[in-house]
Amino acid sequence: MSGRMKVEHPRLKQALAAEYVLGTLAGRARRRFERLLGVRADLRDEVRWWERRLAPLQHGFTPQTPRAVVWAAIEKQINAQTVTALPPPAGAAAPRGLRLWQAWALTATAASVVLAIGLARELNRPPPPAQLVRVEVPVFQPLPYVALLRPGESEVQWLVTLSPERRLIRITGSGKFPLDFSRESLELWVVGDDGTPRSLGVMPDDGDGEMPMPRGLTMPAKPTLAVSREPAGGSPTGLPTGPVITVSPALRAS
């Protein structure tokens, strides 16, 4: 199955709407999706549904103080654009005649003396030591893989976002899957091009959460995600031992 977006696919429509609301859909993919929102009522309905679903999550974040280098960059930008104008002396009239030329002569002489002294000091001053300047360059992060998993005709569904570069898996669930979690667990798998499933870990009991990608795991070219029912704590063999309840391709927008 192709890894490019086919917006007519029902599950991909839901996944792209969720990524749009989360803010992880960026660049050309986001602009293309926004153009489609102007002409597709079904996509606008999906976006509104995910906005209502994900709105409570914004209350769970803790405010973070920006690093000192961020404030320094902001202050530098502000100071570079600040120009202080000297106001003209109130009620002063331009001097005329001989006094004007005498004032200019005295001012020019004083300025020449000051300039000569300053120039001599600069010539005799040792060069400043070399300074190491740290420049932070933003690194482009590719878009994550996205899959929408739904067991059969159930109302339960999971939006799974995989970011191999960040080694992070994010799961956002809707509905409660009927399972005795004291005896069973739901385990997430990725199926590679060779057809071999590899465990991504046990899914959170409440359906929402983040977990790290397993060490040494490389994403296949055309990944497929699956969820299976396993004994509590996950499969004891490293392969699915219980029934597979849902399967879906993981797509990466380009």
Side-chain angles (χ1 to χ4, degrees):
M1 180 174 181
S2 173
R4 298 187 65 83
M5 291 191 295
K6 298 182 183 301
V7 187
E8 301 303 326
H9 196 289
R11 290 193 175 184
L12 184 55
K13 287 195 298 184
Q14 297 175 359
L16 290 174
E19 284 294 297
Y20 179 79
V21 174
L22 287 171
T24 55
L25 187 65
R28 291 179 299 172
R30 186 177 185 89
R31 292 193 294 272
R32 184 162 60 250
F33 187 77
E34 288 176 340
R35 289 196 297 270
L36 291 175
L37 286 176
V39 297
R40 294 279 296 273
D42 57 335
L43 295 180
R44 293 195 295 270
D45 291 341
E46 290 291 345
V47 168
R48 283 192 290 268
W49 188 93
W50 280 106
E51 286 175 341
R52 292 193 298 270
R53 173 68 181 85
L54 300 175
L57 297 179
Q58 64 181 333
H59 303 295
F61 294 101
T62 303
Q64 299 293 323
T65 301
R67 294 178 298 169
V69 67
V70 177
W71 283 120
I74 294 174
E75 291 178 353
K76 183 178 180 180
Q77 291 284 345
I78 294 175
N79 294 333
Q81 300 176 10
T82 302
V83 178
T84 303
L86 296 177
R96 297 179 180 178
L98 180 59
R99 292 182 179 179
L100 174 62
W101 293 106
Q102 290 175 340
W104 275 108
L106 290 174
T107 302
T109 302
S112 300
V113 173
V114 172
L115 181 60
I117 295 174
L119 182 59
R121 289 180 177 177
E122 289 297 324
L123 292 176
N124 295 325
R125 179 179 299 177
Q131 296 182 350
L132 180 63
V133 179
R134 179 180 178 182
V135 179
E136 294 190 358
V137 180
V139 179
F140 171 75
Q141 291 287 348
L143 294 177
Y145 291 89
V146 179
L148 190 65
L149 296 162
R150 177 181 294 169
E153 299 300 325
S154 171
E155 293 298 324
V156 179
Q157 62 182 15
W158 299 284
L159 175 68
V160 181
T161 304
L162 297 96
S163 302
E165 291 75 20
R166 300 173 57 194
R167 310 303 298 174
L168 183 66
I169 303 172
R170 180 183 293 114
I171 301 175
T172 303
S174 173
K176 188 72 173 180
F177 187 79
L179 193 70
D180 182 1
F181 289 98
S182 64
R183 301 176 56 188
E184 292 184 280
S185 295
L186 296 177
E187 191 161 356
L188 183 64
W189 305 85
V190 60
V191 182
D193 302 327
D194 58 356
T196 302
R198 294 173 176 82
S199 175
L200 294 176
V202 175
M203 298 177 62
D205 292 349
D206 59 1
D208 291 318
E210 295 182 350
M211 54 188 186
M213 291 186 64
R215 292 184 178 180
L217 177 67
T218 302
M219 289 294 291
K222 297 180 180 179
T224 298
L225 299 188
V227 176
S228 67
R229 298 178 64 160
E230 301 294 339
S235 170
T237 66
L239 294 173
T241 61
V244 176
I245 62 174
T246 180
V247 177
S248 176
L251 305 179
R252 191 172 216 174
S254 59

